[in-house]
Amino acid sequence: MADRLSARAAIAALTTEFEELTDDAFDDGTGDDGPLSWAGYADSRARATARTGERESVVHGLASLGGQSCVLVSFEFGFLGGSLGQRTGDRLVAAYEAAGRRGLPLVSLIATGGSRMQEGMIALTQLQRVAHASARLRAAGPAQIAVLRDPTTGGGWATLGAGADVVLALPGAQVGFAGSRVRPPDADPAAYTAEGQLAAGQVDAVVAPRELPGTVGRWLRALHLPKDPPPPAPVPRALSAAGLPGTGWDAVCQARSASRPRAEAYLDAYFSYRLPLVGDRCGGTDPGLLAGFGRREDRSVAYVAQCGTATRPAGYRTAARVIRLADRLGLPVLTLIDTPGAANDAEAERAGAGAAIADAFAAVAAARVPLTTLVIGEGGSGGALALAAPGNTHVTPDSYFSVIAPELAAAILKRTPDQVRATADQLRLRPQDLVELGFARSVVGP
């Protein structure tokens, strides 16, 4: 079983400073049986208060984590299962509003079983209030980070949890819209765990309790709203000493060489540390695409990097998610291009390949922050172009970019296999060709 700390113990384990903002004026009706006149409800709340010392299922206030300020919400599962009622909604809305007024990120330590049955529809409509407050904070800019404790189910998962920009979870935490008592009896229990949600692209990382303060602190630093417009991300240096290719086919061979540096090597050389974002929030992940935020010389930069495989729909959706978050936060974006093209198998088509690629194009086109692109390997058609920065794309000597792979171009033109190399020359896909054509700004060197 995962963490079952009290609300205040969870706060103490994470923060160095905490100033409670909870207003007990919200709790002036604890002596009644609620909007449904549910017999015994007042007694249940009184017992929950005696057991936990809390008057509601959430506590909120100003917190400091590793020198970074935020508004913190913590759920008390011991108070009626951390359920959401009207006064819970009051406190949650107050937390979002405090974050908006102060321009601070919101961190939620969630442990809830869902909406409070004893308040019926009044409890259920708190989800709308929370969603509205979250949308207002998102429009104002500050980031929202959720930490999923055990359990995180029902409306708490579907609003504060899944609706956050960054979703972290504790190992073994029960996570899912359906709680353990209401899901189908034959349901796979692994699907309702933090680890299962990570595999499905709904959670960004499963973090051990001892590592949580450092991880959340790094995320708060990475997602800090800058005061000034960001400059473009510096162009990474090429990591190989390859010379410029003599022919188009030479360029293709150099880009496809197993010995040339790949995306992870570039990212490790570029950033002092990286914080990955995983998954498209639609049930998919793409292991061939790395995305998230990193720190470089005390600056935050978002990154999206293809890893040399055919990019899948989940990869494009994840990329669009990261680019839009960076744009909202005013942080520059670096993209590394390396793909033979978009995945085009039947599974990819069923997963919405066309719509996912269109979404990536749209995210790049709409971005107001600077985007920088370095082509580090293969640039295969629109599947690569979808993540390229118009007017700010650079290439390495061991890369190429083409409207289509030369083998496929030859096949479409009904040419024989021995004409593939000549076709590669005709496509003018070498790094130096791309600069001469005006597509790339420069060929970068080591």
Side-chain angles (χ1 to χ4, degrees):
M1 181 177 293
D3 156 56
R4 279 288 176 89
L5 295 177
S6 69
R8 294 183 191 273
I11 292 170
L14 186 66
T15 67
T16 52
E17 297 177 25
F18 180 72
E19 177 190 349
E20 188 171 355
L21 296 177
T22 298
D23 184 355
D24 281 339
F26 289 132
D27 303 316
D28 57 358
T30 53
D32 62 55
D33 281 330
L36 304 186
S37 298
W38 187 288
Y41 179 38
D43 292 339
S44 296
R45 293 203 309 276
R47 288 192 298 272
T49 295
R51 182 169 57 252
T52 64
E54 305 295 345
R55 301 190 68 184
E56 249 308 329
S57 58
V58 295
V59 175
H60 81 281
L62 299 176
S64 178
L65 286 76
Q68 303 296 310
S69 297
C70 67
V71 172
L72 185 70
V73 170
S74 186
F75 277 71
E76 176 53 69
F77 188 75
F79 191 100
L80 301 182
S83 57
L84 279 71
Q86 183 170 17
R87 296 184 188 106
T88 321
D90 291 340
R91 291 190 175 189
L92 292 173
V93 170
Y96 280 102
E97 291 176 345
R101 285 194 307 272
R102 292 169 168 81
L104 293 174
L106 180 80
V107 177
S108 301
L109 310 179
I110 308 172
T112 175
S115 299
R116 193 169 298 170
M117 291 181 299
Q118 296 93 330
E119 294 187 21
M121 285 303 299
I122 300 301
L124 191 63
T125 57
Q126 301 312 304
L127 305 184
Q128 293 174 319
R129 294 183 67 199
V130 170
H132 189 200
S134 176
R136 290 199 303 270
L137 182 59
R138 186 172 292 109
Q144 300 174 38
I145 300 173
V147 176
L148 313 181
R149 298 156 59 212
D150 184 50
T152 298
T153 60
W157 163 231
T159 51
L160 287 93
D165 300 310
V166 178
V167 183
L168 309 175
L170 294 176
Q174 181 187 170
V175 179
F177 187 62
S180 59
R181 298 183 183 182
V182 297
R183 66 185 62 142
D186 59 347
D188 178 7
Y192 301 87
T193 63
E195 291 77 8
Q197 297 288 4
L198 175 64
Q202 310 292 355
V203 166
D204 292 306
V206 175
V207 183
R210 66 182 179 279
E211 298 172 359
L212 194 61
T215 300
V216 176
R218 285 191 291 274
W219 269 114
L220 289 174
R221 283 190 291 276
L223 302 183
H224 179 71
L225 288 169
K227 295 180 181 179
D228 301 314
V235 181
R237 296 171 63 86
L239 295 184
S240 76
L244 287 173
T247 68
W249 188 247
D250 289 340
V252 173
C253 291
Q254 285 184 200
R256 293 177 180 175
S257 170
S259 63
R260 70 163 172 82
R262 303 289 162 151
E264 195 152 16
Y266 276 92
L267 295 174
D268 287 344
Y270 190 80
F271 292 115
S272 56
Y273 67 81
R274 290 185 283 127
L275 296 164
L277 291 175
V278 177
D280 62 0
R281 297 298 185 263
C282 298
T285 61
D286 182 356
L289 183 129
L290 302 175
F293 289 78
R295 293 286 283 179
R296 174 187 169 85
E297 299 172 354
D298 294 326
R299 292 179 55 201
S300 294
V301 176
Y303 65 88
V304 174
Q306 293 168 317
C307 298
T309 59
T311 304
R312 306 204 64 79
Y316 292 110
R317 285 190 286 263
T318 303
R321 172 192 166 207
V322 172
I323 292 169
R324 289 191 174 108
L325 177 56
D327 190 54
R328 195 185 100 216
L329 298 174
L331 299 174
V333 179
L334 170 69
T335 65
L336 300 179
I337 301 298
D338 184 11
T339 180
N344 59 6
D345 53 69
E347 181 183 353
E349 293 297 339
R350 284 192 291 267
I357 296 168
D359 195 39
F361 270 116
V364 169
R368 297 158 295 180
V369 295
L371 274 71
T372 301
T373 294
L374 181 63
V375 185
I376 63 171
E378 293 194 80
S381 193
L385 188 66
L387 299 179
N392 196 24
T393 291
H394 306 259
V395 291
T396 64
D398 46 5
S399 70
Y400 79 87
F401 217 122
S402 178
V403 64
I404 193 171
E407 298 93 333
L408 299 179
I412 292 172
L413 296 171
K414 299 182 179 180
R415 295 179 176 178
T416 58
D418 62 347
Q419 294 178 292
V420 168
R421 297 188 178 199
T423 303
D425 284 334
Q426 285 183 287
L427 288 168
R428 297 199 64 193
L429 47 71
R430 299 176 304 168
Q432 59 267 44
D433 294 328
L434 299 172
V435 174
E436 290 178 9
L437 290 169
F439 170 74
R441 290 182 60 179
S442 71
V443 179
V444 301

